[in-house]
């Protein structure tokens, strides 16, 4: 399956994440259902998910909706087509993240919610468009050997799928708009697979 990495989709008030490779923790997995998009001049429908990471070593400050000053980790997200086809970006990123290829059994159904709370390294690059610098996740990999696993995420872990619809209200307007605009015959995004090796992060 193919993965499409984009900017975070947030407001213009936030600075882009600096380019480079960052320690990260996945704190959000969102099933966006089937999304209609244009690719190379043709319309197509693909099942999409959205992953978001916090970067504990990259700190930001902001004022929340109640005008309270906050400080916390920077964050960045990416959209992926929900597929483990051998040429997909999602499969490549997940295999690099876990440090090994998927087995045939795992390829038959992998539960993407297993990514929640798992540490990794993400590589961020910048691209300028319409006078704005956009940050994009262009690579994901496992933690270097000997690096301790990061502490738990500072953000609350967020999972939105058919079994966790109550998470909808906590999502951004941007993600809710994506969910509301999905093609309505989308199948469930996640299949369970629990018998992974203990030394594999997911």
């Amino acid at each position: 399956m193919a993965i499409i990495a984009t900017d975070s989709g947030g407001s213009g008030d936030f600075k882009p994440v600096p380019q480079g490779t960052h320690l990260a923790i996945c704190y959000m997995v969102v099933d966006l259902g089937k999304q209609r998009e244009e690719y190379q001049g043709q319309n197509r429908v693909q099942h999409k998910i959205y992953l978001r990471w916090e970067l504990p070593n990259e700190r930001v400050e902001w004022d929340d909706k109640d005008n309270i000053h906050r400080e916390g980790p920077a964050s960045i997200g990416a959209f992926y087509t929900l597929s483990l086809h051998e040429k997909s970006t999602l499969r490549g990123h997940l295999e690099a993240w876990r440090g090994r290829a998927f087995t045939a059994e795992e390829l038959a159904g992998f539960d993407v919610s297993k990514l929640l709370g798992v540490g990794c390294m993400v590589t961020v690059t910048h691209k300028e468009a319409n006078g704005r610098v956009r940050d994009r996740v262009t690579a994901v990999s496992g933690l270097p050997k000997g690096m301790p696993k990061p502490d738990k995420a500072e953000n609350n872990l967020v999972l939105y799928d058919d079994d966790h619809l109550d998470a909808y209200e906590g999502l951004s307007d941007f993600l809710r708009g994506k969910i509301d605009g999905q093609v309505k015959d989308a199948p469930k995004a996640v299949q369970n697979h629990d018998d992974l090796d203990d030394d594999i992060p997911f």
Side-chain angles (χ1 to χ4, degrees), residues 17-127:
V17 170
Q19 295 189 96
T21 301
H22 303 266
L23 175 66
I25 305 171
C26 180
Y27 75 93
M28 183 181 293
V29 176
V30 178
D31 177 10
L32 298 172
K34 287 186 175 180
Q35 297 287 322
R36 197 180 307 278
E37 64 180 11
E38 184 176 321
Y39 179 73
Q40 295 182 346
Q42 295 186 348
N43 288 320
R44 62 182 184 180
V45 174
Q46 292 188 315
H47 200 147
K48 296 289 184 177
I49 62 170
Y50 178 75
L51 304 181
R52 194 164 187 85
W53 298 266
E54 66 176 40
L55 313 180
N57 296 333
E58 202 64 45
R59 314 303 292 184
V60 294
E61 298 182 21
W62 72 97
D63 292 329
D64 67 14
K65 59 182 177 145
D66 298 317
N67 208 30
I68 297 174
H69 192 70
R70 303 285 188 184
E71 185 273 343
S75 64
I76 190 169
F79 294 95
Y80 294 85
T81 301
L82 186 66
S83 165
L84 291 178
H85 184 275
E86 61 182 355
K87 294 183 179 180
S88 74
T89 307
L90 179 60
R91 179 171 171 178
H93 281 193
L94 293 182
E95 290 185 335
W97 188 345
R98 70 204 302 255
R100 75 168 199 191
F102 284 106
T103 66
E105 185 180 7
E106 290 165 352
L107 289 172
F110 177 74
D111 183 352
V112 294
S113 70
K114 291 180 180 291
L115 306 175
L116 282 171
V118 180
C120 64
M121 307 298 292
V122 297
T123 299
V124 177
T125 61
H126 287 177
K127 183 176 182 179

Side-chain angles (χ1 to χ4, degrees), residues 137-192:
V137 173
T138 51
V140 181
S141 59
L143 300 174
K145 187 175 182 179
M147 176 181 284
K149 293 180 181 179
D151 295 331
K152 69 177 183 178
E154 295 177 49
N155 288 289
N156 293 327
L157 300 184
V158 177
L159 173 62
Y160 176 82
D161 62 12
D162 288 347
D163 296 322
H164 300 87
L165 298 177
D166 56 335
Y168 176 86
E169 293 302 326
L171 300 176
S172 67
D173 291 343
F174 178 75
L175 290 176
R176 291 201 303 266
K178 286 282 191 183
I179 292 167
D180 294 345
Q182 70 180 290
V183 179
K184 295 302 181 182
D185 64 345
K188 287 188 177 181
V190 172
Q191 300 179 42
N192 289 319

